[in-house]
Amino acid sequence: MSASVLYDAPGPKAVVRNRVYAVLGTLVIAALIAVSLLRLADKGHLAPEMWDIFNYAGIRQNIADALVATLKAFGLAAVGSLVLGVLLAVGRLSDHKPVRWAATTFIELFRSLPLLITIYAIWVGFLTDYSMWALAAGLSVYNGCVQAEVLRAGVNAVPRGQSEAAYALGMRKTQVMVTVLMPQAVRSMLPTIISQLVVTLKDTSLGFIILYPELLQTARLIASNTQVNEQYPYVSTIAVIGTIYIVLCLLLSSLATWIEKRGRRAKTGIAVAPAVQAPGTIDATAGTFGPDAGGAGGAGTGIDGAGGAGVAKD
């Protein structure tokens, strides 16, 4: 039975009790799901007609356009947040106090504000006629602050000896940051960076507040403007749009997992050549001195290959 530093390994009674709890919990969850499905079925939300609306070409085209709009906003926000994150991380690590204080104030301010308020303020104040850019700017500001803290943690995790060695070679701080610290920080924190991009993708759904036609806004319009059997297909629409979000987030999560596994592998496949013994050196494994020492002799040490139990000089 393997031991753990976090908890004691369960005994036979505890194992049985845990299994009973797991079965009971599963049954309770299954019962709740079954009750929910029965209530939805009684109200007609699971009728085939509610799902048949997605066979219409117009609705499928609306969903496809919304998916493209969501990916556009996400792409702009992803690039903007990464660029802003690098700049804020460098500013946070600057030796100049005004730069460091300005970066710290910016990060703490926009991390404390709700993202919805940031998006709405940018849209109303600056980009009223450009909802996509307002959404991308709001996402870039908030997620850029988070990415900056991630990169700063990665830079601080790099062993100090590497930066000291770079300074000893005569490199300036900018060169050390660009060529030594930042690449290692990005590589070590890449799974976390991509995980934050998953959050950025989900946050594109906040574009409904500024009437940007992303997936959630399109789902609301489809469900509120389409009537089937004197009911609005909110359940089926939410299920379809939610599935699209889940697929997109799973793809990004799998990308993070793949990059993490790839980062553990060796970067080159160059084999290391075996060490070659230089003439006139001691071979500790063979007990000889020189490349051909003691070739005809016994276990002793020889110079001219005479061998023997002792040391031969001639």
Side-chain angles (χ1 to χ4, degrees), residues 121-210:
I122 293 176
W123 179 60
V124 172
F126 305 98
L127 299 170
T128 306
D129 298 329
Y130 305 95
S131 57
M132 182 185 70
W133 292 100
L135 176 61
L139 293 174
S140 299
V141 169
Y142 175 79
N143 291 282
C145 295
V146 179
Q147 299 285 20
E149 292 298 285
V150 171
L151 292 173
R152 184 172 70 92
V155 170
N156 290 332
V158 177
R160 183 173 297 180
Q162 298 197 22
S163 58
E164 293 176 351
Y167 287 128
L169 293 175
M171 299 176 67
R172 297 188 300 272
K173 183 175 181 179
T174 303
Q175 294 175 317
V176 174
M177 180 64 70
V178 173
T179 61
V180 178
L181 298 179
M182 193 58 71
Q184 296 187 68
V186 171
R187 180 181 175 185
S188 62
M189 304 302 291
L190 197 55
T192 307
I193 293 172
I194 297 181
S195 298
Q196 186 61 35
L197 292 179
V198 173
V199 177
T200 306
L201 174 60
K202 293 188 294 183
D203 287 342
T204 55
S205 60
L206 297 177
F208 79 94
I209 196 63
I210 58 175

Side-chain angles (χ1 to χ4, degrees), residues 84-94 107 147-148 151-152 182:
L84 182 62
V86 171
L87 295 177
L88 290 175
V90 172
R92 190 81 185 268
L93 296 170
S94 175
I107 290 174
Q147 299 285 20
L151 292 173
R152 184 172 70 92
M182 193 58 71

Side-chain angles (χ1 to χ4, degrees), residues 59 64 139 187 239 245 304 309-310:
I59 290 181
L139 293 174
R187 180 181 175 185
Y245 273 115
D304 295 332

Side-chain angles (χ1 to χ4, degrees), residues 8 23 63 92 261:
D8 294 332
V23 172
I63 294 176
R92 190 81 185 268
K261 290 181 179 179

